[in-house]
Amino acid sequence: MKLQKSKGARDMSIKDMTAFRFVEGTFRDSCLKWGYGEIRTPTIENLYLFTSAGTLTPESLNRVYSFLDWDGWSGERVVLRPDGTIPVARMYIESGKKDLARLFYVTNIFAFESSGKENRERWQCGCELIGAASSLADTELISLSLEVLKRTIPHDIEVSLSHAGLVKALLAKLGISPDEQAQAFDQLMDGKTDLPVPAAHRPEAADTLLSLLTLKGQSSGFVKNLKALIGAQLPEIMPHLDDFIGLITSLEEIGIKCRIDIPSGGGFEYYTGAMFQLFAGGEKVGGGGRYDMLIPSMGGGNISASGFALYLDRIMNMIKPDSVITSESVLVVNHDKDQKRAYETATELRQAGYNATIQLDNEKNCTWTLDIQSNGQYFLEGKGLKAEAGTMAEVMKCLGGQFGH
Amino acid sequence: MAIKIALPKGRLQNPTSHLLENAGWKLDEYNASGRLYHLKSAVFPDLRGKILHEKDIPVQVAIGNYDMGICSRDWIEELLAKYPTSSIIKIKDLGYGYGSLFMVGSAPFSVKGTVRITSEYPNLAEKFALQKRFGRFAIFPVWGAAEAYLPESAELALISQTEESKPLPGIVPSQRVLDYGACLIANRDSWESKNLFNLVSSLVAANVTETSVSPIDMKTTQPTDITDLKGKMRLALPDGHQQSHTLKLLNKAGIQIEDYPSPTGNRRPIIGIEGVSVKVIRPQDMPLQVANGNFDAAITGKDWLTNHLYQFPNSPVQELVDLKLGWVRIVAAVSHEVPGTTIGDVRSWAAQRAAPLRIATEYTNIADRYARDKRIGPYRVIPTWGATEAFIPDDADLLIENTETGSTLARHNLKIVDTLFESTACLIGRIGVEPDKQALIDTITRLLSQAV
């Protein structure tokens, strides 16, 4: 029987892992510098965490990996984590803290994909800013996510904005039932703009509202003018519009340009306020949003929050391997079988910051080859250069670029 | 090229037999009394038919063991609810075998706490729960009698009603979930690559009845007196053919019981022990129901207890007394065509093949554990719902099955290569029940022990 990996699973090669660790390392570095602390949640969670209204959309729920655990005789299922944010909210609530928390994580999430050609296990770098309600928090998250992307990939990053609160408020004006509103919202979150609103049910303003809901590619100025146009007619939409404009203004103040895409796609049912998506080279590489009702709905009290996730699998594919700086490697060749000397040499090199490998068989895959000769001398070769050295100090000088000949 | 079709046994067998007769297939062995599972047609020499439990048919067609099948659409939807990308095409509703699935409760339903749903259709039940956005729910897959768990042990039950169904006392239909009837299905690849024209056209020509599905109405009666079961010890007794053995034992133990077995299908017989309430359910379902606290004790088989404990090793269920009734052996069996006489021989034989060993069984957890313990290389467990011996040799290589005399296995050209264990009926209970209930369990255990 032919051995093969499970459908939809991905092996990561040395090259892949180099890119993975580069993105992860850059993300961790930025997050720590911005005052975020790293956490990790378990791979297996209770399914009920994700099934309530306001958590995952039904379409997402139909693709989770759920099963009965070894002690699952109660009939309740567990699930391979299908989302990064909800477990973090669960962890925050369980900790009993109520104060502001800046959290980040690198995690895998699982979702079935029917063709088996896409990954069913995907990796993401996520940040959650819990306990902050203003659009300044959203600005901080967008700004942080942009910093990470700019440090990792050689593309211009586009930011697209939408607003779940605005979308929900507009849907509420369409004269459809709450169930239909929820269904329409899920469809918009899944990127479908053809809303199932029967013409007979539409109030007079419905066509205008529908056109607003399907807005794509507009500038921030459009939203500001929108306030003048519909603000007086639909006062209940004003708080969401003001919040949205507040975010746009705040981003513009620090030089971040964005475009408005109301039917965002890729959103989550738990989003309540501003939502953003990040694109590089036309591909979506991340997204996030405000989810003020998630923690309250999970019994965690009236706590606002927002967050984002960067799609590690996609970002690592955009990295040029050469751009990832790694330590230079030295192959220690030991002709005289003097194990002790070879180990001492390799240890010195490692202490000096080089990757040192003692040659086995005839391997040849390092930047430098350091030959320990029987007369006690060293012979160094690599990068088209050759040098002889009497001591390790001289070897280090050569590796540092000071070649005598 | 051979064309394989899976045909249903049970309630669809008669009308399907008539349909095939009208279509001129001449599958003479396919009638209600037939005991042969392998069928040949006198008209279509390439056609190979097999009689399977209708619940198995969608799975068998989807995985490509059969090109076509006839079965009830409820089982197709049950498969598709969990595996929407299954390779099945629904070709034609056949206009008979109507039924409807209802989500039912015993009182108007409101979502509060964990919603427990029992059903023979666990995938459709889960889909329902997800669509209704129940925050917290538990699905109990059962082999039958799903409605018997209401209201004490479940809030909802997803049940099937057919024209033949008896009225259910005290059941309140919450929602009609699906109307179904017999359906002709095909494997997607077979439909694309094989010439099924003559077979399908003959069926279409013969199937002149109205083919739109007729919904079935839910038949209910006034609730029987459901006494307050709070604080009572709950005992589960088996339905089906084990009832007569169980009744004899209860009588011998001096335990009075009224209306068991019940000619009207009453699942709540009255037992002559104060503080004990009884329900009649499937023995296969009992260990799980005792584990989760829906029942405190039950009379089931060691085979089903073992199957449960292999799935849930930390389960609080334990055997209290061996009732020494209904003795069977749980065996591993293969076709006589497989060389050797032991499971070791089967393992060596399987190791030389390119494909994984296919193990058909009703005892999925026992089979899984057995295959691991015996170091059988790559294998697949194929869950079945009866008539497991029909799967060998075409659709499975190894069988894990119970047998009393071995005659059924021998009749199907099968040989036993291993005996896993012996099974008899037993009283089971849950560790950690309340002291007053434990006292009643101890009384029943003592009375039954003396009667064995």
Side-chain angles (χ1 to χ4, degrees), chain A residues 1 47-48 50-58 61-62 66 68-77 112 114 186 269, chain B residues 82 85 114 126 130 133-140 288 291-292 308 310-316 354 356 372 378:
Chain A
M1 192 181 171
L47 175 62
Y48 67 74
F50 305 91
T51 51
S52 305
T55 47
L56 293 187
T57 63
L61 284 169
N62 286 335
S66 72
L68 291 175
D69 206 344
W70 289 103
D71 58 357
W73 55 81
S74 71
E76 282 200 292
R77 302 173 84 82
F112 179 71
S114 59
D186 289 343
E269 197 172 280
Chain B
K82 183 77 179 175
T85 54
T114 301
E126 183 171 354
L130 289 174
R133 312 307 301 263
F134 294 161
R136 198 164 177 173
F137 62 85
I139 307 291
F140 296 131
L288 181 71
N292 64 30
H308 167 76
Y310 282 177
Q311 184 178 12
F312 303 117
N314 300 327
S315 167
R372 290 199 305 267

Side-chain angles (χ1 to χ4, degrees), chain A residues 206-225:
Chain A
D207 285 334
T208 313
L209 292 172
L210 279 173
S211 65
L212 293 177
L213 283 169
T214 52
L215 266 181
K216 272 200 161 196
Q218 299 295 328
S219 67
S220 59
F222 186 94
V223 179
K224 292 175 185 172
N225 291 330

Side-chain angles (χ1 to χ4, degrees), chain B residues 238-249:
Chain B
D239 64 2
H241 66 275
Q242 291 186 26
Q243 291 182 106
S244 56
H245 300 304
T246 309
L247 179 64
K248 273 184 202 164
L249 183 71

Side-chain angles (χ1 to χ4, degrees), chain A residues 317-331:
Chain A
N317 289 339
M318 295 179 177
I319 292 168
K320 289 180 185 164
D322 298 344
S323 68
V324 180
I325 300 161
T326 53
S327 300
E328 293 200 332
S329 57
V330 182
L331 184 69

Side-chain angles (χ1 to χ4, degrees), chain B residues 219-421:
Chain B
K219 287 172 275 187
T220 64
T221 60
Q222 288 301 308
T224 48
D225 282 340
I226 300 174
T227 47
D228 183 9
L229 300 181
K230 209 172 180 182
K232 287 200 171 187
M233 194 282 270
R234 295 177 188 174
L235 174 68
L237 294 181
D239 64 2
H241 66 275
Q242 291 186 26
Q243 291 182 106
S244 56
H245 300 304
T246 309
L247 179 64
K248 273 184 202 164
L249 183 71
L250 292 172
N251 288 339
K252 198 174 166 191
I255 299 171
Q256 297 299 312
I257 188 152
E258 286 175 29
D259 204 17
Y260 177 78
S262 169
T264 60
N266 173 30
R267 292 187 174 273
R268 295 168 178 267
I270 306 297
I271 196 164
I273 303 176
E274 186 68 27
V276 178
S277 72
V278 173
K279 269 195 191 180
V280 178
I281 60 172
R282 293 283 158 90
Q284 296 96 316
D285 299 323
M286 289 174 179
L288 181 71
Q289 294 301 326
V290 173
N292 64 30
N294 283 339
F295 291 88
D296 302 302
I299 292 178
T300 183
K302 283 184 189 176
D303 49 354
W304 293 113
L305 176 60
T306 307
N307 197 53
H308 167 76
L309 292 174
Y310 282 177
Q311 184 178 12
F312 303 117
N314 300 327
S315 167
V317 180
Q318 60 180 350
E319 180 183 323
L320 301 175
V321 55
D322 181 354
L323 302 175
K324 301 191 188 304
L325 288 173
W327 178 90
V328 289
R329 281 189 296 158
I330 310 303
V331 299
V334 294
S335 163
H336 273 292
E337 289 161 22
V338 175
T341 55
T342 66
I343 188 64
D345 297 333
V346 174
R347 183 173 53 227
S348 305
W349 170 76
Q352 293 164 11
R353 298 162 8 123
L357 190 81
R358 299 164 302 170
I359 308 174
T361 187
E362 290 178 77
Y363 305 111
T364 50
N365 305 313
I366 293 173
D368 204 21
R369 170 83 166 256
Y370 180 72
R372 290 199 305 267
D373 287 352
K374 295 294 175 185
R375 303 283 178 185
I376 291 172
Y379 66 90
R380 284 182 190 158
V381 174
I382 302 168
T384 66
W385 301 91
T388 311
E389 56 276 7
F391 282 74
I392 287 185
D394 307 326
D395 312 319
D397 307 302
L398 181 73
L399 194 71
I400 304 292
E401 179 67 301
N402 68 59
T403 183
E404 196 175 342
T405 63
S407 59
T408 306
L409 296 175
R411 198 167 58 242
H412 287 87
N413 195 33
L414 302 173
K415 62 183 174 189
I416 295 170
V417 291
D418 199 2
T419 297
L420 281 66
F421 59 91

Side-chain angles (χ1 to χ4, degrees), chain A residues 153-180:
Chain A
I153 47 180
H155 295 283
D156 288 335
I157 312 297
E158 286 180 27
V159 183
S160 128
L161 287 182
S162 181
H163 197 288
L166 184 60
V167 171
K168 286 176 181 173
L170 288 170
L171 285 170
K173 301 300 292 179
L174 280 177
I176 54 177
S177 72
D179 277 353
E180 288 168 325

Side-chain angles (χ1 to χ4, degrees), chain B residues 66-88:
Chain B
Y66 293 86
D67 302 301
M68 293 200 295
I70 291 176
C71 64
S72 187
R73 204 157 65 83
D74 49 344
W75 298 119
I76 303 169
E77 300 302 335
E78 169 67 4
L79 175 70
L80 294 176
K82 183 77 179 175
Y83 305 106
T85 54
S86 299
S87 260
I88 279 191

